[in-house]
């Protein structure tokens, strides 16, 4: 079912991804408070008000987790550093225990023949910076640059790649317009500022990393294929607007130094003054571009205030997230990314599914996940055959983990985690991948 390593071009890299807050256990090792801790502590935001205080206890079990990556025949481990673990106040003093942890982790990867692919920020903003307005405050570009400097100085010589920020859309729109993620805002001005400042912080960090001698720098955006809910011109316009702020805003800023025109009438008044001048920083040259892809959405008009559209339930089979399975969307975005990034190497930096996994007799029969991965890997092969410069594919996720506002309910792992005992059990998908990726 799964294609084999030899079905891909020589040197094609396979990996698995995680993120700090979702697995480490934020209560350990002197990490500072983050906006996810306080968001989760506020009723109604997260299922059962669960947080990342213990998560998968990766902070203590990282050796076992790296062994799983090695045993799965993966080439790359995409992980992230927690800003509040490295700098508990977000600025100023460094927590030596935090830096030591990531130092050991990177060495542990190298010892096991794994390439360390760092993401600096995967969403756990230090609370003292949230108090200052977080992503709404233009100063975040400088604060983030300083954090990048500290991490680069300690880990930079041993990283395989580095990307500043995971999924700008989630940091911006999902967290400041829809309010589904921390800080849970619903405000268009906050959204426009956060979306622009995320890119400014990205460009600033790329400059810092580059000067520090860190190699192989990229950006990671998430994409959702937007299709009109029906054949009307109104639905077509609705899907196009959704596509503009979701799929094109960031990649267009990064590679073309402009934002999609259809967004501007409603959005431009809320962007920070002088935003056009920031593209010199935002467009800092990159070495690769990463795509995270999971699903498509059917979009139709709703009336009411801008953007006056919404999701319509689609007919395709769905994952445990309620997300339709649509591998053609990944194929579409691989081509779209190339339209922006040209011959820059592309990576699928996240792809995978949540399934209602049950542990029985020491294993999990997640045939649905194997089929999902196979279908998306087939979409990758098709794009490669058509000339798309795709150089690697990373699964989300190595472990079942803290799925943000859905708490520990949604299982995305190749490895099952029992959140009582913290025992790890590789699922059938893990074993299938390990066999397919044998060298
Ligand atoms: C992505 C996130 C990741 C995880 C998956 C399911 O948007 O990067 O942390 O939540 O979705």
């Amino acid at each position: 079912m799964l294609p084999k390593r030899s079905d891909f071009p020589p040197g094609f890299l396979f990996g698995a991804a995680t993120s700090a807050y979702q697995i480490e256990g934020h209560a350990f090792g002197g990490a500072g408070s983050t906006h996810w801790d306080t968001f989760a502590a506020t009723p109604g935001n997260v299922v059962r008000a669960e947080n990342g205080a213990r998560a998968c206890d990766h902070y203590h079990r990282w050796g076992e987790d790296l062994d799983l990556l090695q045993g799965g025949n993966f080439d790359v481990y995409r992980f992230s550093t927690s800003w509040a673990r490295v700098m508990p106040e977000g600025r100023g003093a460094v927590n030596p225990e935090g830096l030591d942890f990531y130092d050991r982790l990177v060495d542990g990867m190298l010892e096991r023949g794994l390439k360390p692919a760092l993401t600096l920020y995967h969403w756990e903003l230090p609370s003292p910076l949230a108090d200052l307005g977080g992503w709404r405050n233009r100063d975040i570009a400088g604060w983030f640059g300083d954090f990048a400097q500290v991490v680069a100085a300690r880990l930079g010589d041993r990283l395989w790649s580095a990307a500043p920020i995971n999924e700008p859309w989630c940091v911006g729109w999902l967290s400041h317009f829809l309010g589904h993620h921390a800080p849970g805002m619903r405000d268009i001005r906050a959204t426009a500022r956060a979306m622009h400042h995320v890119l400014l912080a990205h460009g600033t960090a790329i400059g810092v990393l580059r000067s520090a001698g860190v190699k192989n720098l990229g950006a990671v955006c998430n994409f959702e294929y937007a299709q009109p809910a029906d054949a009307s011109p109104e639905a077509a316009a609705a899907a196009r607007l959704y596509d503009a702020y979701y799929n094109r805003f960031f990649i267009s800023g990064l590679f073309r130094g402009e934002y999609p025109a259809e967004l501007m009438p409603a959005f431009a008044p809320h962007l920070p003054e002088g935003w056009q001048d920031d593209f010199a920083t935002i467009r800092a040259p990159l070495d690769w571009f990463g795509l995270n892809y999971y699903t498509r959405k059917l979009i139709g008009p709703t009336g009411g205030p801008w953007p006056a559209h919404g999701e319509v339930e689609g007919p395709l089979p769905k994952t445990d997230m309620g997300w339709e399975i649509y591998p053609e969307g990944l194929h579409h975005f691989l081509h779209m990314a190339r339209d922006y990034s040209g011959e820059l190497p592309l990576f699928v930096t996240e792809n995978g599914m949540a399934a209602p996994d049950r542990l029985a007799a020491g294993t999990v029969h997640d045939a649905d996940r194997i089929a999902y991965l196979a279908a998306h890997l087939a979409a990758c092969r098709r794009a490669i055959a058509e000339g798309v410069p795709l150089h690697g594919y990373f699964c989300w996720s190595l472990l079942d983990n803290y799925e943000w506002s859905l708490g520990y309910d949604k299982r995305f792992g190749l490895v099952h985690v029992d959140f009582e005992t913290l025992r790890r059990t590789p699922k059938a998908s893990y074993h299938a991948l390990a066999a397919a990726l044998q060298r």
Side-chain angles (χ1 to χ4, degrees):
M1 273 244 282
L2 287 173
K4 293 185 298 296
R5 185 183 281 281
S6 56
D7 293 325
F8 288 82
F12 192 87
L13 296 172
F14 292 90
T18 65
S19 91
Y21 193 81
Q22 292 179 276
I23 65 166
E24 287 177 357
H26 227 69
F28 310 124
S33 170
T34 81
H35 70 174
W36 263 98
D37 299 304
T38 54
F39 181 74
T42 311
N45 287 337
V46 177
V47 170
R48 292 182 295 271
E50 287 169 345
N51 61 33
R54 185 168 82 142
C56 305
D57 190 26
H58 174 73
Y59 187 76
H60 298 109
R61 296 166 197 251
W62 59 271
E64 179 185 352
D65 295 339
L66 295 185
D67 288 345
L68 285 164
L69 286 157
Q70 185 183 29
N73 292 321
F74 293 104
D75 310 299
V76 176
Y77 178 36
R78 177 173 178 256
F79 72 110
S80 77
T81 39
S82 161
W83 191 341
R85 182 178 294 295
V86 174
M87 300 167 92
E89 297 292 314
R91 296 182 291 175
V94 166
N95 168 30
E97 229 180 311
L99 268 187
D100 288 350
F101 169 69
Y102 293 119
D103 197 81
R104 284 195 299 276
L105 191 65
V106 167
D107 279 346
M109 290 179 223
L110 297 178
E111 280 158 20
R112 292 167 179 81
L114 296 161
K115 297 183 189 317
L118 167 71
T119 305
L120 278 170
Y121 181 81
H122 198 127
W123 305 353
E124 61 287 88
L125 188 73
S127 297
L129 302 184
D131 294 341
L132 298 174
W135 291 102
R136 288 176 290 146
N137 187 336
R138 184 184 174 83
D139 291 345
I140 197 160
W143 306 332
F144 188 61
D146 294 344
F147 165 54
Q149 178 73 58
V150 168
V151 175
R154 185 66 181 268
L155 308 180
D157 55 334
R158 284 158 294 150
L159 297 172
W160 171 72
S161 73
I165 295 165
N166 180 64
E167 300 190 348
W169 180 86
C170 292
V171 179
W173 193 275
L174 187 66
S175 308
H176 294 84
F177 196 83
L178 300 178
H180 295 171
H181 277 190
M185 291 196 68
R186 293 171 52 76
D187 183 288
I188 191 170
R189 179 175 162 101
T191 306
R193 279 152 199 269
M195 285 170 72
H196 182 71
H197 293 150
V198 163
L199 286 180
L200 186 62
H202 157 89
T204 304
I206 290 288
V208 167
L209 294 169
R210 193 76 76 193
S211 325
V214 184
K215 303 278 183 315
N216 204 20
L217 308 180
V220 172
C221 293
N222 57 317
F223 298 93
E224 225 176 60
Y225 193 53
Q227 283 179 311
D230 59 48
S232 67
E234 291 78 14
R240 187 143 178 89
L241 180 59
Y242 187 92
D243 185 64
Y245 64 71
Y246 202 123
N247 300 316
R248 284 180 280 123
F249 185 88
F250 301 99
I251 197 170
S252 170
L254 289 170
F255 291 104
R256 297 192 181 157
E258 61 186 29
Y259 293 141
E262 56 270 66
L263 208 54
M264 285 300 108
F267 221 56
H270 305 293
L271 283 166
E273 210 177 309
W275 58 275
Q276 296 93 336
D277 303 333
D278 290 330
F279 285 116
T281 305
I282 292 171
R283 295 183 73 180
L286 297 175
D287 304 308
W288 56 270
F289 182 74
L291 301 86
N292 294 357
Y293 176 80
Y294 291 93
T295 189
R296 74 157 184 182
K297 289 281 160 63
L298 298 183
I299 307 296
T302 54
W306 188 91
H309 66 206
E311 293 171 21
V312 174
E313 192 176 334
L316 302 177
K318 298 184 181 67
T319 72
D320 207 31
M321 296 290 275
W323 294 348
E324 285 188 298
I325 300 175
Y326 191 69
E328 296 80 359
L330 178 56
H331 176 262
H332 164 85
F333 286 120
L334 288 169
H335 277 279
M336 189 193 96
R338 184 171 61 162
D339 292 343
Y340 286 87
S341 57
E343 289 318 301
L344 219 56
L346 300 177
F347 291 87
V348 173
T349 32
E350 282 182 29
N351 178 238
M353 72 177 277
D357 298 322
R358 294 279 165 272
L359 183 61
T363 186
V364 175
H365 292 289
D366 56 342
D368 42 5
R369 182 171 289 105
I370 297 175
Y372 181 101
L373 298 174
H376 288 80
L377 283 165
C380 292
R381 290 184 66 201
R382 214 172 111 215
I384 293 168
E386 291 157 355
V388 170
L390 181 62
H391 288 224
Y393 172 93
F394 311 158
C395 296
W396 183 271
S397 180
L398 174 67
L399 303 171
D400 291 338
N401 61 42
Y402 179 65
E403 181 43 41
W404 307 113
S405 50
L406 298 171
Y408 293 93
D409 268 358
K410 303 298 173 193
R411 295 183 175 274
F412 272 91
L414 301 170
V415 174
H416 179 275
V417 176
D418 177 326
F419 290 107
E420 297 295 318
T421 63
L422 296 170
R423 193 192 151 101
R424 277 83 162 132
T425 309
K427 303 178 189 176
S429 56
Y430 172 91
H431 294 299
L433 271 170
L437 301 186
Q438 240 160 31
R439 296 178 187 90

